[in-house]
Amino acid sequence: MGAALRWTTGPYHVLHVALCFGLAAATFIQSIGHISGGHINPAVTFAYLIGSQMSFFRAFFYIFAQCLGAVAGAAVLYGVTPGNMRGNMAMNMLQPGMSLGMATTVEVFLTMQLVVCVFAVTDERRNGRLGSAALSIGFSVTVGHLMGMYYTGAGMNPARSFAPAVLFRNFINHWVYWVGPMIGGAMGAIFYDFILFPRMRGLSERLATLKGSRLPESETQQETRVEPIELKTQSL
């Protein structure tokens, strides 16, 4: 958010902002992926829930923590930024001419491409996992911002949109930045886990994972490995 503030007059540097968001996401995922999974995005957490890869209980607290962390971070940024430079703290807003339906559709597909990337590069079933999963996800975030900033500001992450809205108590059209990413996350999970690379698990296994009475497939395989895999979570 700090990179998206307007410190100078003139054209908006979309590439600068997009790279900062992408590199920040990649850095956090690489740093904390082995601890919590490094979701940092309610839409990604919701996608894992739809894919029956984490429990309802854990998903609820992940999303709560993500929103709380976003508000705390935005509050710190607000406090250290001079009053004449704060503006609306890079609040996501629809660009002129964008209808609610158009904006929601853009958010759906921006988030869907992110979730498909997340699922693909962290899939424990891949043979020869080359490169950095965190960096690939960061590039996906960057691509989304390079396109989406011209339309909706590129929400993609409901927690990121939620924080400045809370600070300024401005929730006009805010639902777009929850509904769009959540639908996109669900579509990405279904597209990858049920169409592109289906997971052969029965309904009872999926329900057990959602209830937290069974470890996700990724966790049972991880127990026999030494290296951690980012973006995976345990169920409670």
Side-chain angles (χ1 to χ4, degrees):
M1 282 176 56
L5 299 181
R6 298 297 295 267
W7 287 84
T8 60
T9 58
Y12 201 52
H13 299 292
V14 172
L15 178 60
H16 165 86
V17 178
L19 284 174
C20 186
F21 271 91
L23 291 174
T27 301
F28 277 119
I29 292 167
Q30 185 66 36
S31 300
I32 65 173
H34 65 293
I35 299 172
S36 65
H39 292 192
I40 64 174
N41 185 338
V44 172
T45 297
F46 185 64
Y48 274 105
L49 183 64
I50 293 296
S52 305
Q53 296 191 53
M54 66 187 307
S55 69
F56 284 110
F57 187 75
R58 181 172 286 261
F60 172 80
F61 283 102
Y62 265 45
I63 293 175
F64 177 79
Q66 289 154 2
C67 292
L68 184 63
V71 172
V76 171
L77 181 63
Y78 183 90
V80 301
T81 303
N84 62 330
M85 295 297 176
R86 288 172 185 159
N88 62 2
M89 294 294 290
M91 184 185 301
N92 283 327
M93 302 178 70
L94 276 60
Q95 297 301 315
M98 290 290 294
S99 68
L100 293 175
M102 293 162 64
T104 303
T105 302
V106 169
E107 287 293 322
V108 166
F109 284 99
L110 291 179
T111 312
M112 181 178 174
Q113 64 87 21
L114 170 62
V115 167
V116 170
C117 175
V118 168
F119 274 50
V121 300
T122 62
D123 194 338
E124 71 284 346
R125 299 170 297 168
R126 287 179 66 129
N127 293 322
R129 295 174 67 247
L130 301 176
S132 169
L135 193 58
S136 298
I137 295 166
F139 281 135
S140 178
V141 172
T142 298
V143 168
H145 279 74
L146 286 173
M147 182 268 190
M149 287 184 67
Y150 294 106
Y151 291 81
T152 61
M156 300 174 67
N157 184 337
R160 175 263 182 270
S161 302
F162 179 69
V166 169
L167 289 183
F168 288 93
R169 299 178 182 85
N170 184 349
F171 293 94
I172 298 175
N173 298 329
H174 180 67
W175 63 268
V176 169
Y177 298 99
W178 280 90
V179 173
M182 289 303 192
I183 293 176
M187 288 174 58
I190 293 171
F191 184 60
Y192 185 82
D193 261 0
F194 293 89
I195 299 175
L196 284 183
F197 200 174
R199 292 180 183 272
M200 302 304 177
R201 290 186 293 165
L203 179 60
S204 60
E205 293 179 88
R206 292 182 180 275
L207 289 176
T209 300
L210 292 173
K211 291 187 294 184
S213 57
R214 178 181 181 275
L215 285 175
E217 178 184 339
S218 60
E219 292 298 332
T220 56
Q221 293 188 16
Q222 246 184 290
E223 290 177 358
T224 63
R225 302 183 183 188
V226 177
E227 74 277 13
I229 296 179
E230 298 103 337
L231 272 291
K232 296 298 178 183
T233 54
Q234 294 178 337
S235 64
L236 294 177

